[in-house]
Amino acid sequence: LEESQNKTYLEKKKLMDDYGITVWRFHDYIHSGIPYKDGYIDGIFYGIARVTGWDNAVINEDIQSALYLECDPPTTPKEVGKLLKEKWNLTGLKCIGNMDAEVRKIMICGHVSEGGDSNSLIRKVDANDVNLLLPLELIDFTLTEYIKDSGQFGMNRAILAAGHFNLEEPGMKYMEKWLPDLLDEKIDVTFVQAGDMYTFL
């Protein structure tokens, strides 16, 4: 981008140079697993649970695949959506399926972007009796159609999609606590939210 003199790139580089900002990409490391109980857990997924106040609801974890949460008492996608908008400073969410579903189990899952074949994920949703999915990435294809159809049949199935960066930001916020503990040093770590990526019209 520097060779092509891309204006956006040059503006960002100037901003970093002017203020002495260093960019250190650490995101995939925390995704790959942080110590949790007797094993490891995806730090982004766990961070989402912690920031939302769900850390005691974690019941099962599939490293880099999904995090399962139990809702006691049960709730609805509408109530979860209100909570996410408030806790994550969002302007809105994409909602699919039965918004009045009884939610007993939530699945935070990775990128739902496998084109026309979501069969393995659909089987996971059924096998684990998941009522609400919070995906990092979502395309309007097989899984989305399945959840929409299930909701239209009155089943307890729904998706709340905040968007990739919006959903991962709460996970990164957890690094405020996790990174100083990991380094065993007293260092200042401050999370700065980039802000909701979307504007809804």
Side-chain angles (χ1 to χ4, degrees), residues 43-61:
I44 293 295
F45 291 173
Y46 182 66
I48 290 167
R50 282 289 300 263
V51 169
T52 312
W54 292 338
D55 42 320
N56 292 327
V58 174
I59 54 170
N60 191 10
E61 202 269 334

Side-chain angles (χ1 to χ4, degrees), residues 11-51:
E11 286 294 329
K12 288 186 81 171
K13 186 174 185 314
K14 182 179 185 309
L15 181 73
M16 290 189 292
D17 290 343
D18 288 350
Y19 289 93
I21 297 169
T22 300
V23 175
W24 174 38
R25 181 166 170 78
F26 191 63
H27 176 77
D28 289 332
Y29 182 89
I30 192 170
H31 249 316
S32 69
I34 62 172
Y36 177 76
K37 295 186 179 175
D38 295 328
Y40 288 87
I41 193 168
D42 183 310
I44 293 295
F45 291 173
Y46 182 66
I48 290 167
R50 282 289 300 263
V51 169

Side-chain angles (χ1 to χ4, degrees), residues 2 10-11 14 25 44 65 77 92 103-104 110 116 118 120 134 137 149-150 153 160-161 168 186 195:
E2 191 162 12
L10 293 173
E11 286 294 329
K14 182 179 185 309
R25 181 166 170 78
I44 293 295
S65 176
V103 176
R104 292 181 175 273
S118 294
S120 62
L134 303 177
E137 194 80 43
D149 291 346
S150 298
F153 285 119
L160 292 176
E168 290 196 339
K186 186 171 173 55

